[in-house]
């Protein structure tokens, strides 16, 4: 939620407030009767055993029934999601778990790459594959910090994030955060000394094999194509483009990428801590606001999220 503009992602309080205003089915019926008159816009994808002529006939049938107007001017096109960028520093959000019976603490440490280059997007996928097992082994198997220890990447628009998550019923968030950051601090050395160039090559090959594996279901191919339409990117040969970028990568590229997103003083890091109200992992409830300002937005409470997003939208 913190990386999406306010108009694309609403908080639970806003959603509950809007839902409380819906009192009867007649309000929904009224909305259905008027929604197509409120400048509704549509995109369509027909995929399967259809000729171009048949596909266009189906689209024309829908268009005639709903009376859509063709948008020739790009300025009238629906706005696309643009990811918010984190500050070029560490930001920490600490909130109290709203579930009074939950006794688990959780920490989510996220690094954001704002680069929109295909090269960097492939590098973060390879990085995720390399660090997943040692992260789990160190914090779950060896330290036994919690029963949930995982890492992974997420795409928001053309940006990418890699997250490290630990949930524990015995350790407080301060301990979890400390150990996650300690692991991340050690990664530069691990990547330099323990990941050989040959090993790096095996991760690249595995990624290429996965991306070039033929899709077995029409639904999988359709979803991939629809994602291109929904995002407004229309890069239908994305797999081929990404494979081409992967073939040119070296271990030195990976080391430089890690330096950019973590080691450098410009890293975009968000630490989210969930504090339980009970149990051995509990702490005093964190304040709902840290009195955040545009000049001091590195520490957040739950009530600061809307203002934080507003500040990031204007940055």
């Amino acid at each position: 939620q913190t990386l999406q503009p306010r108009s694309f992602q609403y908080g639970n309080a806003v959603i509950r407030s809007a839902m409380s205003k819906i009192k009867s089915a007649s309000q929904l019926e009224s909305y259905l009767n008027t929604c197509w008159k409120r400048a509704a816009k549509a995109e369509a994808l027909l995929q399967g055993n259809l000729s171009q002529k048949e596909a266009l006939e189906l689209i024309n049938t829908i268009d005639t029934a709903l009376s859509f107007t063709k948008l020739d001017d790009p300025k009238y096109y629906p706005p696309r999601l643009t990811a918010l960028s984190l500050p070029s520093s560490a930001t920490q959000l600490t909130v109290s778990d709203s579930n009074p019976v939950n006794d688990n603490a959780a920490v989510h440490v996220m690094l954001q790459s704002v680069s929109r280059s295909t090269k960097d997007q492939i590098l973060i996928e390879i990085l995720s594959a390399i660090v997943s097992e040692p992260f789990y082994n160190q914090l779950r198997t060896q330290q036994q910090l919690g029963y949930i220890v995982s890492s992974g990447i997420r795409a928001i628009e053309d940006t990418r994030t890699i997250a490290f998550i630990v949930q524990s019923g015995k350790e407080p968030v301060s301990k979890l955060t400390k150990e996650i950051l300690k692991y991340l601090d050690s990664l530069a050395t691990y990547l330099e000394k323990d990941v050989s160039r040959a090993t790096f090559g095996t991760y690249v090959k595995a990624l290429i094999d996965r991306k070039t594996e033929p899709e077995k279901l029409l639904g999988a191919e359709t979803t991939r194509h629809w994602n291109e339409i929904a995002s407004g990117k229309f890069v239908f040969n994305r797999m081929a483009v990404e494979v081409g970028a992967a073939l040119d990568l070296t271990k030195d590229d990976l080391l430089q990428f890690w330096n950019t997103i973590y080691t450098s003083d410009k890293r975009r890091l968000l630490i989210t801590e969930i504090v339980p109200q009970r149990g051995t992992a509990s702490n005093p409830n964190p304040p709902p606001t840290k009195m955040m300002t545009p000049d001091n937005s590195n520490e957040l409470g739950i009530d600061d999220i809307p203002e934080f997003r507003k500040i990031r939208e204007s940055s």
Side-chain angles (χ1 to χ4, degrees):
Q1 187 182 111
T2 53
L3 298 185
Q4 298 189 35
R6 291 166 295 167
S7 57
F8 280 88
Q9 180 70 47
Y10 299 99
N12 290 336
V14 175
I15 294 174
R16 286 196 300 268
S17 175
M19 291 181 63
S20 68
K21 299 174 183 177
I22 302 174
K23 304 298 184 182
S24 65
S26 62
Q27 288 177 278
L28 295 178
E29 293 173 358
S30 176
Y31 170 77
L32 289 173
N33 290 331
T34 59
C35 65
W36 298 114
K37 300 177 182 179
R38 297 179 178 178
K41 302 175 179 67
E43 295 173 308
L45 168 65
L46 280 75
Q47 187 158 335
N49 191 23
L50 291 168
S51 67
Q52 181 180 18
K53 180 176 180 294
E54 291 171 325
L56 290 175
E57 287 175 350
L58 283 171
I59 293 298
N60 286 335
T61 299
I62 297 172
D63 188 27
T64 300
L66 299 178
S67 301
F68 288 112
T69 300
K70 184 178 180 181
L71 296 177
D72 294 316
D73 193 333
K75 72 180 181 180
Y76 294 117
Y77 208 79
R80 302 293 186 178
L81 171 64
T82 301
L84 302 179
S85 62
L86 291 172
S88 300
S89 59
T91 303
Q92 183 164 322
L93 167 64
T94 306
V95 302
S96 177
D97 192 339
S98 58
N99 183 355
V101 300
N102 178 47
D103 56 5
N104 294 301
V107 172
H108 178 284
V109 175
M110 179 175 66
L111 291 166
Q112 182 186 40
S113 171
V114 294
S115 170
R116 285 166 166 75
S117 73
T118 302
K119 175 182 176 180
D120 286 347
Q121 292 172 359
I122 293 299
L123 279 169
I124 202 169
E125 289 192 51
I126 295 173
L127 175 67
S128 177
I130 291 174
V131 304
S132 176
E133 184 176 341
F135 176 68
Y136 180 90
N137 182 57
Q138 183 169 322
L139 276 71
R140 175 68 175 90
T141 306
Q142 297 181 23
Q143 299 186 39
Q144 298 186 354
L145 283 180
Y147 58 90
I148 293 181
V149 175
S150 65
S151 61
I153 60 172
R154 181 187 179 193
I156 301 179
E157 190 232 351
D158 274 344
T159 67
R160 299 292 185 270
T161 62
I162 181 168
F164 300 85
I165 303 168
V166 178
Q167 180 172 305
S168 174
K170 63 178 183 178
E171 299 290 353
V173 293
S174 57
K175 173 70 171 178
L176 304 183
T177 298
K178 177 183 176 182
E179 293 302 326
I180 294 175
L181 294 179
K182 183 179 178 181
Y183 171 79
L184 296 180
D185 288 342
S186 70
L187 258 185
T189 300
Y190 174 80
L191 295 174
E192 174 66 37
K193 295 184 176 181
D194 295 311
V195 180
S196 67
R197 297 186 187 279
T199 300
F200 176 79
T202 63
Y203 282 101
V204 173
K205 182 180 183 303
L207 181 69
I208 291 175
D209 289 346
R210 178 168 59 83
K211 289 185 176 293
T212 55
E213 182 179 359
E215 287 155 325
K216 298 179 177 63
L217 299 175
L218 179 62
E221 183 182 58
T222 303
T223 299
R224 176 167 57 83
H225 289 162
W226 181 253
N227 287 339
E228 293 295 333
I229 295 171
S231 66
K233 302 305 177 186
F234 306 106
V235 185
F236 295 107
N237 65 335
R238 185 178 299 276
M239 294 301 182
V241 172
E242 291 180 343
V243 168
L247 288 170
D248 293 332
L249 294 178
T250 66
K251 177 183 172 180
D252 291 336
D253 293 325
L254 180 68
L255 296 175
Q256 180 58 48
F257 179 73
W258 180 247
N259 178 68
T260 299
I261 69 167
Y262 185 76
T263 310
S264 74
D265 58 2
K266 297 295 184 181
R267 65 183 181 182
R268 300 177 187 272
L269 173 70
L270 175 62
I271 302 168
T272 303
E273 300 176 334
I274 310 297
V275 180
Q277 299 182 34
R278 50 171 282 180
T280 58
S282 64
N283 276 329
N285 287 343
T289 178
K290 298 292 184 71
M291 305 303 292
M292 184 192 65
T293 66
D295 296 327
N296 180 28
S297 59
N298 297 114
E299 293 188 13
L300 312 177
I302 186 66
D303 292 346
D304 296 321
I305 293 177
E307 182 64 20
F308 176 79
R309 295 165 73 189
K310 179 180 178 181
I311 291 172
R312 300 317 302 163
E313 285 174 17
S314 61
S315 64

